[in-house]
């Protein structure tokens, strides 16, 4: 895996140029678009997306569905994972996700930020924190990804 280096010897994890617009386009006609997930920030070593809490993401008690929290975590983590490999040669798919729900939320938005714990040749492990707009922790998530070779 080749790394990109920035001015201050700070590591940049992305393997290609990415933009919020290209990530949004990638999610067209998928669950990402259906749930209203939008990418809002790309850092040197993180990716952030937000999701509305509305009728698409609530459970019958009126709070965010736990599966919606997992869907946001998997979306931001797996998108970030695929941006960390040479997409011509590899792709990443989820192996395992673990979510701990800390606080409930009824409306507004949640924001999920993915940062890597491990970027290996065959696996990646990501941590995704989901917070509300007041930056209160909603859930913590760990996502393990398999890095697979494309058949040429």
């Amino acid at each position: 895996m080749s790394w990109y280096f920035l001015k201050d010897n700070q590591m940049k994890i992305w393997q290609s140029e990415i933009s919020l617009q290209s990530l949004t386009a990638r999610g067209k006609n998928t669950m990402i678009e259906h749930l209203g997930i939008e990418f809002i920030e790309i850092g040197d070593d993180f990716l952030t997306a937000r999701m509305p809490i509305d009728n698409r993401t609530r459970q019958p008690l009126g709070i965010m569905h736990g599966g919606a929290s997992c869907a946001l975590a998997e979306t931001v983590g797996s998108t970030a994972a695929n941006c960390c490999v040479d997409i011509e040669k590899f792709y990443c798919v989820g192996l395992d996700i673990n979510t701990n729900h800390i606080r409930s939320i009824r409306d507004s938005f949640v924001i999920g930020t993915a940062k890597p714990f491990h970027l290996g040749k065959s696996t990646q492990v990501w941590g995704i924190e989901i917070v509300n707009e007041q930056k209160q922790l909603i859930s913590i998530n760990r996502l393990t990804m398999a890095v697979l070779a494309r058949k040429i």
Side-chain angles (χ1 to χ4, degrees):
M1 185 176 283
S2 64
W3 296 96
Y4 291 90
F5 290 91
L6 301 178
K7 294 179 196 168
D8 303 307
N9 287 334
Q10 204 175 24
M11 243 186 277
K12 184 176 181 182
I13 61 176
W14 314 120
Q15 289 290 312
S16 61
E17 289 298 316
I18 58 173
S19 69
L20 298 175
Q21 295 80 12
S22 67
L23 297 179
T24 298
R26 187 174 180 264
K28 281 280 191 205
N29 298 314
T30 69
M31 189 167 81
I32 297 167
E33 182 180 49
H34 175 73
L35 294 178
I37 296 171
E38 60 180 321
F39 295 94
I40 59 172
E41 188 175 4
I42 302 167
D44 293 338
D45 67 346
F46 70 89
L47 180 62
T48 301
R50 75 180 193 156
M51 180 179 70
I53 305 307
D54 59 20
N55 62 323
R56 297 170 292 181
T57 56
R58 284 191 203 106
Q59 49 115 299
L61 294 175
I63 59 176
M64 182 174 72
H65 192 289
S69 187
C70 290
L72 175 59
E74 177 108 15
T75 295
V76 72
S78 65
T79 300
N82 278 286
C83 292
C84 289
V85 297
D86 180 345
I87 204 70
E88 300 287 319
K89 297 177 184 174
F90 303 98
Y91 64 101
C92 300
V93 295
L95 283 177
D96 182 64
I97 189 165
N98 173 275
T99 300
N100 293 101
H101 305 288
I102 309 297
R103 173 180 279 110
S104 65
I105 183 169
R106 292 184 175 278
D107 54 29
S108 192
F109 287 87
V110 288
I111 297 115
T113 299
K115 288 187 172 190
F117 290 126
H118 167 72
L119 296 175
K121 290 181 182 179
S122 61
T123 62
Q124 297 181 8
V125 181
W126 290 81
I128 301 99
E129 285 192 356
I130 297 177
V131 299
N132 62 19
E133 291 184 298
Q134 292 74 43
K135 302 200 183 323
Q136 296 172 311
L137 192 60
I138 301 297
S139 70
I140 54 174
N141 308 266
R142 187 185 66 244
L143 176 64
T144 305
M145 303 292 293
V147 179
L148 304 174
R150 289 189 184 275
K151 294 187 170 122
I152 299 174

